Amino acid sequence: MAMHSDIDAEEKAWQDYANCLGVDPDLFFPERGASTREAKEVCRGCVVRDDCLEYALQNGEKFGIWGGMSERERRRIRRQRALARAAAAAQADGVTA
Ligand code: SF4
């Protein structure tokens, strides 16, 4: 997709299989409060959805729909992962202490 065109070449092999190739990038950057339904529909049938979502999470993408998820949804996942990491670290500390 055009929105992903700044991704490093080695990292974007998955992008060649993106369902959104040729789709209007504006669809993936809806105005605040606008529907994300159409973009998510495109993502739903995308075979590289997991790669796309993981890329956005790893790179802290703050805007747009990636991997079928909005900024807010990705923030929630990042928060959950951070909590899980903290819990795992606390548990490891408890084991070694
Ligand atoms: S998951 Fe959505 S935004 Fe990501 S490559 Fe697939 S269609 Fe495009």
Side-chain angles (χ1 to χ4, degrees), residues 72-91:
R72 184 184 297 179
E73 291 164 331
R74 292 196 305 275
R75 239 190 342 263
R76 192 181 311 138
I77 289 180
R78 276 202 300 268
R79 219 172 19 243
Q80 285 167 349
R81 285 186 179 182
L83 286 172
R85 273 196 305 271
Q91 194 174 23

Side-chain angles (χ1 to χ4, degrees), residues 1 3-4 14-15 17-21 28 39-40 42-53 65-69:
M1 168 197 317
M3 68 179 269
H4 296 156
W14 55 266
Q15 201 188 352
Y17 304 97
N19 219 20
C20 53
L21 283 176
F28 293 83
K40 287 180 175 178
V42 177
C43 295
R44 197 186 312 278
C46 182
V47 296
V48 293
R49 188 173 162 170
D50 289 347
D51 298 281
C52 179
L53 176 60
I65 304 295
W66 292 73
M69 290 196 176

Side-chain angles (χ1 to χ4, degrees), residues 13 18 22 31 33-35 45 49 60 63 70 85 87 92 94:
E31 294 291 322
S35 172
R49 188 173 162 170
F63 305 104
S70 66
R85 273 196 305 271

